[in-house]
Amino acid sequence: MPINTGGLITGTLEHLRRPLARNIRQGQNVLVLSDTEHDPRVWQAVMTILADLKAEAALALFSRRPADYYDPPPTICEAMLKSDVNVLIASTGMLHCAANMKAMAAGVPCLCLDGGMQLEWLQSGAITEDIRQMAVRKHYVAKDVFGEGAKICRVTSRYGADFTYNVEGKIWTPPLPSAEFDPYKIVNYGTEDNRKGTRLTTYLYPTGELNVAPNDGTGNGKLVIDLTMHHLGRLNSPIELTIKDGRINQIDGGADARILRDFLETYGDENAYMCPAEASVGVNAKAVVRGCQREDKNIIGAMHFGLGTNIDVGGTIMSNIHMDGVILEPTLYVDGEKRIEHGRFLVPIEG
């Protein structure tokens, strides 16, 4: 089991500390989950911050999971249910994994910065964005880019994407931030963000997206992922997904397409090919291209589309996996009206 030994902890820990200090109290039991391929400086810094907060913190370090949203080892799954707060820092995504879903359902929230973020990436870029302003953008993207009466979305791109899906009854409009808005508080997305059907009680960082779970079985056309994808990281060549009635039936492209085909055959199940399980618009103006999902999918004007599980974001699909693929500069039409052109909003979203 190789261990990433990382390097020195340098630079500010200000952005890493704020959500921990806001949500974790002295004496609370906190379980920090990471794996041996993640930058160890991140969990070391988090454990140092938790010690300063006088929390009862424990580190669960395990071998990298074979795929995003696979559970940690069984003993750790049990420990997650007995913690007061779980902190997810694995190199694979764990927010949507069954163990974390069970923990959140049992009332144990999580702080999520999984997906392979290096320490330096938690000191600049997306994590430094004004969280209040992102909340404003999310409101206006929902209200004015889509609208609660939205039905058919069409996405095209320079790489040949031409893809439609149905969001009728699925658009949720998060509230504008009030004077009491707390930018670092763990959020119950169902009760506090006007989102029906979600099971998330978490604080995501970095963050910056408005996402929906489109109506199952409505995706049709060619979806071309051109920037980043779970498991693959920064793509060397676009991946073309041919989708019929919400299911991927062909994956074309170069080496990255081959890797995705093999990955889904090895670790996926029947529902892993369901797409779009999620459709999201980025609203973080400080996010930059890292080749890492946790940051790239939040780039303002970018869109990402999920495969597999969406039961935690208001959908009905349960799968072994959930994978996001990012289109950097999409063009989006909502009921025939162009609302985003090559990654630039055509309607005001700044409030």
Side-chain angles (χ1 to χ4, degrees):
M1 183 173 67
I3 296 179
N4 181 342
T5 56
L8 296 175
I9 295 179
T10 58
T12 180
L13 300 182
E14 172 188 6
H15 303 291
L16 191 58
R17 179 186 176 89
R18 287 175 181 172
L20 294 165
R22 168 59 184 85
N23 294 287
I24 294 171
R25 301 186 302 275
Q26 179 175 339
Q28 279 193 308
N29 295 310
V30 181
L31 183 65
V32 178
L33 293 82
S34 193
D35 63 53
T36 55
E37 292 191 27
H38 196 283
D39 181 351
R41 297 173 300 162
V42 178
W43 61 255
Q44 289 165 7
V46 167
M47 292 295 287
T48 299
I49 294 167
L50 293 174
D52 185 54
L53 296 173
K54 296 181 172 56
E56 293 289 342
L59 172 68
L61 189 65
F62 45 89
S63 59
R64 178 187 167 96
R65 301 294 86 189
D68 286 284
Y69 302 115
Y70 266 51
D71 278 344
T75 51
I76 298 172
C77 295
E78 289 295 320
M80 292 173 72
L81 293 169
K82 298 177 181 178
S83 175
D84 292 318
V85 181
N86 294 314
V87 182
L88 311 180
I89 318 178
S91 59
T92 57
M94 288 202 159
L95 177 64
H96 302 262
C97 76
N100 191 51
M101 296 300 296
K102 290 177 183 176
M104 289 189 293
V108 183
C110 69
L111 293 164
C112 180
L113 54 154
D114 63 9
M117 291 291 287
Q118 298 176 15
L119 182 64
E120 289 79 11
W121 299 349
L122 296 167
Q123 298 169 338
S124 63
I127 202 168
T128 68
E129 177 61 302
D130 183 328
I131 298 170
R132 172 182 285 274
Q133 190 57 34
M134 283 195 292
V136 170
R137 293 179 192 134
K138 285 174 63 177
H139 173 84
Y140 286 109
V141 168
K143 177 177 176 289
D144 296 334
V145 173
F146 293 99
E148 292 191 0
K151 295 180 180 179
I152 303 298
C153 295
R154 177 187 175 210
V155 174
T156 64
S157 76
R158 293 188 177 99
Y159 291 94
D162 196 343
F163 180 65
T164 62
Y165 55 96
N166 186 299
V167 295
E168 186 173 5
K170 291 287 191 172
I171 300 300
W172 56 286
T173 303
L176 284 169
S178 67
E180 293 76 33
F181 178 74
D182 188 338
Y184 301 108
K185 184 176 79 69
I186 285 173
V187 174
N188 181 313
Y189 282 84
T191 61
E192 299 175 50
D193 223 23
N194 289 348
R195 184 164 188 168
K196 297 177 181 178
T198 185
R199 304 183 181 188
L200 296 178
T201 306
T202 185
Y203 185 88
L204 288 165
Y205 65 123
T207 188
E209 62 176 289
L210 180 96
N211 62 355
V212 299
N215 289 299
D216 297 344
T218 64
N220 283 286
K222 182 190 291 185
L223 182 60
V224 183
I225 306 303
D226 58 50
L227 179 60
T228 314
M229 192 156 196
H230 271 125
H231 178 68
L232 286 83
R234 178 77 180 272
L235 300 181
N236 294 305
S237 58
I239 298 175
E240 298 182 3
L241 307 176
T242 301
I243 298 166
K244 174 68 174 175
D245 296 333
R247 184 176 179 81
I248 298 168
N249 56 35
Q250 190 169 321
I251 301 173
D252 295 307
D256 287 321
R258 170 62 183 270
I259 293 170
L260 179 59
R261 287 196 301 268
D262 291 348
F263 182 86
L264 290 173
E265 288 174 7
T266 302
Y267 300 111
D269 53 20
E270 283 297 305
N271 283 344
Y273 294 85
M274 301 300 288
C275 182
E278 174 188 2
S280 302
V281 177
V283 297
N284 189 316
K286 291 189 178 178
V288 297
V289 174
R290 304 278 198 196
C292 178
Q293 275 293 327
R294 175 57 59 205
E295 175 122 2
D296 292 5
K297 66 182 182 179
N298 300 309
I299 293 171
I300 193 164
M303 295 187 71
H304 72 270
F305 295 88
L307 325 179
T309 289
N310 69 3
I311 198 167
D312 55 328
V313 292
T316 63
I317 301 169
M318 188 66 192
S319 170
N320 287 344
I321 63 174
H322 175 96
M323 298 181 73
D324 291 331
V326 181
I327 299 175
L328 179 60
E329 295 180 334
T331 294
L332 171 68
Y333 300 83
V334 179
D335 294 326
E337 296 289 333
K338 188 185 292 186
R339 300 297 170 79
I340 298 175
E341 184 173 32
H342 301 312
R344 296 185 180 276
F345 288 97
L346 300 182
V347 296
I349 64 166
E350 297 295 338

